[in-house]
Amino acid sequence: MPPPKIIRVLILLTVPLFLFLVIQIFRHPFRRSTSGVDTKAVEEFRDPNLDPTGEPDEPLWRATDDYRPDNPNSPRINATLLSLVRNEELEGILQSMRDLERTWNHKFNYPWLFINDVEFTAEFKKRTQAETKAKCRYETIPKEDWEMPGWINPSLYQESTKVLKENNVQYSDMLSYHQMCRWNSGFFYRHPALLDMKYYWRVEPKVHFFCDIDYDVFRWMSDHNKTYGFTINIYDSAESIPTLWPETIKFLSAHPEYIHQNNAMGWLTDGSRRPDKHIKAHGYSTCHFWSNFEIADLEFWRSEKYQDYFDHLDRAGGFFYERWGDAPVHSIALGLFEDKSRIHWYVHISYPYAFFTSIE
């Protein structure tokens, strides 16, 4: 028995209405509310990880027999692999060395420089040197560069760490972590063992390098006039650096001449993608290069503009009263004082660290 006429009419009306709604949904997909956000910037953003990955532009220096470790006339330039590491992190740094030696350094034989706040053990020296044909050096940090400076109030530091811990700021109650961040921000490049070096590649314990790298990265930095190379660019914990950007603004008001004409101020102050972090950090996006991987020109850190900036921050006390890391400090300085075209993303170097990775 056919359906009543009224049912047939409803069906005829419903089908085109349904099709119309489907078309509208696909033409205008649902968007989450972006009140207070620069929607144009968000919609125009395209993930650069979608782009094809390959080696950077020529010229590229390839491995030849000239790079053998005993060749005094090798094409190697004044550069080193650099690791701030402790004796108890031996297994972790051996893992990192094996990966980087296998994928890159066994071809180019750049030296390794290990730095510690105490003397390295004989076992540490023996086992690390066994992982490479290149020369290894072992140095300690001068006591005055590592200890808490005299202008920091120990009682205020203790109270500050309690507040940071209540706000779930990681490592905030570890004095050694504060010391490490300060040293990596303003002292490592002044260590006597680095004075004859121009470039360094920072290597942390327990990291991996999965893909072969078939050219001399230090030569590439020099040939292409690059200052800084990174792999991972992420947002920081705003709770760890609430006064870093206000102190930076104070410094810039006194030294506007240090700001480079082709700076990355837009990247540093973007509030469209993480507005909550932008607000908590008082105008700083918190976006930064994750400095556990960095290949850089030491001359930038040795410059007057960077040294003046670090000295200002150091006196402000945020390395201890807050938990300012070397990553945001390095990133802000680069974004303000350097030509942004001299900052390079090593997108083809697959570098995972913890739960972040640069792998495509």
Side-chain angles (χ1 to χ4, degrees):
M1 178 179 178
K5 183 177 180 181
I6 185 65
I7 299 299
R8 294 198 301 271
V9 171
L10 288 173
I11 291 172
L12 291 173
L13 291 174
T14 301
V15 170
L17 179 60
F18 173 77
L19 293 174
F20 173 79
L21 290 173
V22 169
I23 292 171
Q24 292 304 307
I25 289 171
F26 281 96
R27 286 181 61 191
H28 306 286
F30 170 76
R31 288 186 176 90
R32 184 172 54 183
S33 173
T34 54
S35 176
V37 174
D38 183 352
T39 54
K40 182 179 180 182
V42 173
E43 289 174 359
E44 289 179 353
F45 173 75
R46 181 180 181 280
D47 185 355
N49 279 304
L50 299 174
D51 295 335
T53 299
E55 290 183 330
D57 296 336
E58 297 278 355
L60 298 172
W61 288 69
R62 303 294 184 181
T64 66
D65 185 59
D66 289 339
Y67 275 100
R68 65 185 184 276
D70 59 347
N71 182 10
N73 300 312
S74 80
R76 283 185 296 273
I77 59 176
N78 289 339
T80 188
L81 299 165
L82 173 65
S83 183
L84 175 64
V85 60
R86 290 180 160 170
N87 290 307
E88 54 267 32
E89 296 174 303
L90 175 58
E91 297 301 330
I93 197 62
L94 289 176
Q95 170 190 294
S96 303
M97 289 185 72
R98 287 165 188 154
D99 266 23
L100 193 51
E101 286 289 329
R102 172 179 52 82
T103 58
W104 183 72
N105 201 44
H106 80 278
K107 308 167 214 177
F108 298 98
N109 294 295
Y110 274 95
W112 286 85
L113 174 59
F114 301 99
I115 301 182
N116 195 350
D117 62 317
V118 299
E119 291 287 341
F120 284 106
T121 64
E123 180 190 11
F124 187 100
K125 294 177 181 179
K126 179 181 178 181
R127 294 184 64 189
T128 48
Q129 183 62 79
E131 295 294 334
T132 178
K133 296 176 294 182
K135 181 180 179 181
C136 292
R137 298 171 66 189
Y138 305 89
E139 301 286 343
T140 54
I141 299 171
K143 188 176 180 181
E144 62 273 17
D145 291 349
W146 186 257
E147 291 187 340
M148 183 185 291
W151 58 83
I152 298 298
N153 184 318
S155 298
L156 181 56
Y157 163 71
Q158 292 294 338
E159 291 302 314
S160 299
T161 58
K162 291 177 184 177
V163 174
L164 292 170
K165 194 169 184 180
E166 290 171 1
N167 288 326
N168 298 315
V169 175
Q170 196 174 25
Y171 310 127
S172 58
D173 58 346
M174 292 176 57
L175 176 59
S176 61
Y177 195 86
H178 292 265
Q179 292 170 307
M180 176 192 69
C181 291
R182 177 175 179 258
W183 187 81
N184 276 327
S185 294
F187 290 93
F188 83 94
Y189 51 87
R190 292 186 275 182
H191 194 285
L194 281 168
L195 294 183
D196 62 342
M197 293 294 169
K198 181 169 174 60
Y199 297 98
Y200 69 96
W201 181 338
R202 180 169 160 181
V203 183
E204 297 270 316
K206 296 183 179 180
V207 300
H208 287 288
F209 299 90
F210 288 143
C211 299
D212 286 337
I213 307 163
D214 296 323
Y215 66 97
D216 184 337
V217 297
F218 294 125
R219 277 279 187 177
W220 189 87
M221 293 282 288
S222 178
D223 290 344
H224 294 266
N225 197 28
K226 299 298 181 182
T227 297
Y228 190 85
F230 72 96
T231 55
I232 297 175
N233 178 15
I234 60 171
Y235 292 92
D236 206 352
S237 162
E239 291 79 8
S240 69
I241 50 170
T243 66
L244 177 57
W245 188 250
E247 285 296 336
T248 299
I249 297 301
K250 288 181 187 178
F251 177 76
L252 295 179
S253 68
H255 294 283
E257 71 277 10
Y258 286 161
I259 303 176
H260 198 283
Q261 185 176 359
N262 190 32
N263 61 65
M265 183 70 80
W267 172 68
L268 293 172
T269 59
D270 172 62
S272 63
R273 298 190 179 93
R274 296 291 189 276
D276 55 332
K277 290 182 176 290
H278 184 263
I279 292 169
K280 290 178 182 178
H282 302 288
Y284 171 37
S285 67
T286 77
C287 210
H288 65 283
F289 308 122
W290 222 5
S291 59
N292 46 62
F293 174 106
E294 56 184 13
I295 302 173
D297 185 342
L298 286 155
E299 292 304 314
F300 179 79
W301 313 125
R302 293 167 179 153
S303 67
E304 181 182 17
K305 56 193 173 185
Y306 181 78
Q307 192 59 56
D308 287 350
Y309 178 57
F310 170 76
D311 289 343
H312 174 89
L313 296 182
D314 200 23
R315 283 288 177 176
F319 290 108
F320 293 93
Y321 300 142
E322 296 178 10
R323 202 218 63 190
W324 295 353
D326 53 279
V329 171
H330 283 187
S331 301
I332 291 173
L334 287 159
L336 292 173
F337 310 140
E338 185 54 286
D339 184 337
K340 63 185 179 183
S341 70
R342 298 184 66 183
I343 300 172
H344 178 67
W345 181 19
Y346 279 103
V347 65
H348 67 289
I349 296 181
S350 57
Y351 173 78
Y353 185 88
F355 47 88
F356 290 103
T357 180
S358 64
I359 298 173
E360 295 291 306

Short mmCIF file of all heavy atoms in Angstrom, two decimals, residues 4 9-10 50 53 56 63 71 114-115 135 175 179 192 204 221 225 228 231 244 259 283 285 314 323 344 349:
data_model
loop_
_atom_site.label_atom_id
_atom_site.label_comp_id
_atom_site.label_asym_id
_atom_site.label_seq_id
_atom_site.Cartn_x
_atom_site.Cartn_y
_atom_site.Cartn_z
N PRO A 4 0.50 7.62 2.36
CA PRO A 4 -0.48 8.69 2.10
C PRO A 4 0.16 9.86 1.36
O PRO A 4 1.38 10.06 1.42
CB PRO A 4 -0.93 9.10 3.51
CG PRO A 4 -0.58 7.95 4.38
CD PRO A 4 0.59 7.30 3.77
N VAL A 9 4.55 14.11 0.11
CA VAL A 9 4.88 15.54 0.00
C VAL A 9 6.01 15.90 0.97
O VAL A 9 6.96 16.61 0.62
CB VAL A 9 3.64 16.40 0.26
CG1 VAL A 9 4.03 17.89 0.35
CG2 VAL A 9 2.60 16.19 -0.83
N LEU A 10 5.92 15.40 2.20
CA LEU A 10 6.96 15.69 3.21
C LEU A 10 8.32 15.13 2.77
O LEU A 10 9.36 15.76 2.97
CB LEU A 10 6.56 15.11 4.56
CG LEU A 10 5.42 15.84 5.28
CD1 LEU A 10 5.02 15.07 6.53
CD2 LEU A 10 5.84 17.26 5.64
N LEU A 50 54.27 20.62 6.33
CA LEU A 50 53.66 19.98 5.16
C LEU A 50 54.52 20.13 3.91
O LEU A 50 54.30 19.45 2.92
CB LEU A 50 52.28 20.60 4.90
CG LEU A 50 51.24 20.42 6.03
CD1 LEU A 50 49.97 21.20 5.70
CD2 LEU A 50 50.93 18.96 6.25
N THR A 53 60.79 18.11 2.35
CA THR A 53 62.03 18.27 3.11
C THR A 53 63.22 17.84 2.28
O THR A 53 63.20 16.78 1.66
CB THR A 53 61.99 17.43 4.40
OG1 THR A 53 60.89 17.87 5.20
CG2 THR A 53 63.26 17.59 5.20
N PRO A 56 69.62 21.83 2.59
CA PRO A 56 69.59 23.26 2.31
C PRO A 56 70.34 23.59 1.02
O PRO A 56 70.90 22.72 0.36
CB PRO A 56 70.28 23.86 3.54
CG PRO A 56 71.17 22.77 4.05
CD PRO A 56 70.43 21.49 3.76
N ALA A 63 81.68 14.93 2.81
CA ALA A 63 82.74 14.21 3.50
C ALA A 63 83.73 13.64 2.50
O ALA A 63 83.34 12.99 1.53
CB ALA A 63 82.15 13.10 4.36
N ASN A 71 94.18 14.91 10.21
CA ASN A 71 94.63 15.80 9.14
C ASN A 71 94.71 17.24 9.65
O ASN A 71 93.67 17.87 9.90
CB ASN A 71 93.68 15.72 7.95
CG ASN A 71 94.14 16.60 6.80
OD1 ASN A 71 95.26 17.12 6.80
ND2 ASN A 71 93.28 16.77 5.80
N PHE A 114 83.13 18.60 26.52
CA PHE A 114 82.24 18.28 27.63
C PHE A 114 82.56 19.22 28.80
O PHE A 114 83.72 19.38 29.17
CB PHE A 114 82.42 16.83 28.07
CG PHE A 114 82.14 15.84 26.98
CD1 PHE A 114 83.18 15.27 26.26
CD2 PHE A 114 80.83 15.49 26.66
CE1 PHE A 114 82.92 14.35 25.24
CE2 PHE A 114 80.57 14.57 25.65
CZ PHE A 114 81.61 14.01 24.94
N ILE A 115 81.52 19.83 29.35
CA ILE A 115 81.70 20.78 30.46
C ILE A 115 80.82 20.36 31.63
O ILE A 115 79.67 19.94 31.45
CB ILE A 115 81.38 22.22 30.02
CG1 ILE A 115 82.29 22.63 28.85
CG2 ILE A 115 81.54 23.19 31.18
CD1 ILE A 115 82.08 24.06 28.37
N LYS A 135 88.70 14.29 18.64
CA LYS A 135 89.28 14.66 19.92
C LYS A 135 88.19 15.05 20.91
O LYS A 135 87.23 15.74 20.56
CB LYS A 135 90.24 15.84 19.74
CG LYS A 135 90.92 16.29 21.01
CD LYS A 135 91.87 17.47 20.76
CE LYS A 135 92.52 17.93 22.06
NZ LYS A 135 93.43 19.10 21.83
N LEU A 175 67.78 24.13 42.57
CA LEU A 175 68.74 25.23 42.42
C LEU A 175 69.65 25.00 41.23
O LEU A 175 69.96 25.94 40.48
CB LEU A 175 69.57 25.36 43.70
CG LEU A 175 70.70 26.40 43.66
CD1 LEU A 175 70.14 27.79 43.39
CD2 LEU A 175 71.50 26.38 44.96
N GLN A 179 70.68 27.48 38.08
CA GLN A 179 72.09 27.76 37.78
C GLN A 179 72.42 27.39 36.34
O GLN A 179 73.13 28.14 35.63
CB GLN A 179 72.99 26.99 38.74
CG GLN A 179 72.90 27.48 40.18
CD GLN A 179 73.62 26.54 41.14
OE1 GLN A 179 73.36 25.33 41.16
NE2 GLN A 179 74.50 27.09 41.95
N PRO A 192 86.82 29.64 28.85
CA PRO A 192 88.12 29.65 28.14
C PRO A 192 88.25 28.59 27.06
O PRO A 192 88.92 28.82 26.04
CB PRO A 192 89.12 29.40 29.28
CG PRO A 192 88.44 29.92 30.51
CD PRO A 192 86.98 29.63 30.31
N GLU A 204 72.56 17.40 23.99
CA GLU A 204 72.09 17.02 25.32
C GLU A 204 72.14 15.50 25.50
O GLU A 204 72.09 14.75 24.52
CB GLU A 204 70.64 17.48 25.50
CG GLU A 204 70.46 18.98 25.45
CD GLU A 204 70.58 19.62 26.81
OE1 GLU A 204 70.01 19.08 27.78
OE2 GLU A 204 71.23 20.67 26.91
N MET A 221 76.80 26.92 7.76
CA MET A 221 76.47 28.13 8.52
C MET A 221 77.37 29.29 8.10
O MET A 221 76.90 30.42 7.90
CB MET A 221 76.64 27.86 10.02
CG MET A 221 75.66 26.87 10.62
SD MET A 221 74.01 27.54 10.94
CE MET A 221 74.34 28.59 12.35
N ASN A 225 76.20 32.64 5.88
CA ASN A 225 76.09 33.77 6.80
C ASN A 225 74.92 33.61 7.77
O ASN A 225 74.13 34.52 7.99
CB ASN A 225 75.93 35.08 6.00
CG ASN A 225 76.21 36.30 6.86
OD1 ASN A 225 76.98 36.25 7.81
ND2 ASN A 225 75.56 37.41 6.53
N TYR A 228 72.15 31.35 13.62
CA TYR A 228 71.52 30.40 14.55
C TYR A 228 70.70 29.38 13.79
O TYR A 228 69.96 29.73 12.86
CB TYR A 228 70.62 31.17 15.52
CG TYR A 228 70.09 30.36 16.68
CD1 TYR A 228 70.84 30.22 17.84
CD2 TYR A 228 68.83 29.76 16.64
CE1 TYR A 228 70.36 29.49 18.93
CE2 TYR A 228 68.35 29.03 17.71
CZ TYR A 228 69.11 28.90 18.85
OH TYR A 228 68.63 28.17 19.92
N THR A 231 65.74 23.33 15.44
CA THR A 231 64.86 22.29 14.90
C THR A 231 63.44 22.38 15.44
O THR A 231 62.49 22.06 14.74
CB THR A 231 65.40 20.88 15.20
OG1 THR A 231 65.60 20.75 16.61
CG2 THR A 231 66.70 20.61 14.47
N LEU A 244 59.80 38.38 32.31
CA LEU A 244 60.89 38.40 31.34
C LEU A 244 60.65 39.45 30.25
O LEU A 244 61.56 40.22 29.91
CB LEU A 244 61.08 37.02 30.71
CG LEU A 244 62.14 36.90 29.61
CD1 LEU A 244 63.50 37.36 30.11
CD2 LEU A 244 62.21 35.46 29.09
N ILE A 259 67.92 47.21 18.42
CA ILE A 259 66.87 46.48 17.68
C ILE A 259 67.20 46.47 16.19
O ILE A 259 67.40 47.52 15.57
CB ILE A 259 65.49 47.13 17.91
CG1 ILE A 259 65.16 47.18 19.41
CG2 ILE A 259 64.41 46.35 17.16
CD1 ILE A 259 63.87 47.89 19.72
N GLY A 283 52.63 40.20 27.18
CA GLY A 283 52.94 40.69 25.84
C GLY A 283 53.89 39.84 25.04
O GLY A 283 54.11 40.11 23.86
N SER A 285 54.76 36.23 23.31
CA SER A 285 54.04 35.05 22.83
C SER A 285 54.47 33.78 23.56
O SER A 285 53.73 32.81 23.58
CB SER A 285 54.30 34.86 21.32
OG SER A 285 55.66 34.54 21.08
N ASP A 314 70.18 39.52 34.28
CA ASP A 314 70.83 38.89 35.42
C ASP A 314 70.60 39.71 36.69
O ASP A 314 70.29 39.16 37.76
CB ASP A 314 72.32 38.74 35.13
CG ASP A 314 72.99 37.69 36.01
OD1 ASP A 314 72.28 36.79 36.52
OD2 ASP A 314 74.22 37.76 36.19
N ARG A 323 61.77 31.34 36.77
CA ARG A 323 62.55 30.25 36.20
C ARG A 323 62.83 30.54 34.74
O ARG A 323 62.46 29.80 33.85
CB ARG A 323 61.83 28.91 36.38
CG ARG A 323 62.78 27.70 36.30
CD ARG A 323 62.14 26.54 35.58
NE ARG A 323 61.86 26.88 34.19
CZ ARG A 323 61.13 26.12 33.38
NH1 ARG A 323 60.59 25.00 33.81
NH2 ARG A 323 60.91 26.50 32.12
N HIS A 344 68.05 29.94 10.89
CA HIS A 344 67.77 28.84 9.96
C HIS A 344 67.07 27.68 10.65
O HIS A 344 67.49 27.25 11.73
CB HIS A 344 69.07 28.35 9.33
CG HIS A 344 68.88 27.19 8.40
ND1 HIS A 344 68.20 27.30 7.19
CD2 HIS A 344 69.26 25.89 8.49
CE1 HIS A 344 68.19 26.12 6.58
NE2 HIS A 344 68.82 25.25 7.36
N ILE A 349 66.83 17.78 9.72
CA ILE A 349 67.51 17.05 10.80
C ILE A 349 66.45 16.51 11.75
O ILE A 349 65.81 17.27 12.48
CB ILE A 349 68.52 17.94 11.54
CG1 ILE A 349 69.64 18.38 10.60
CG2 ILE A 349 69.09 17.20 12.75
CD1 ILE A 349 70.71 19.26 11.25
#
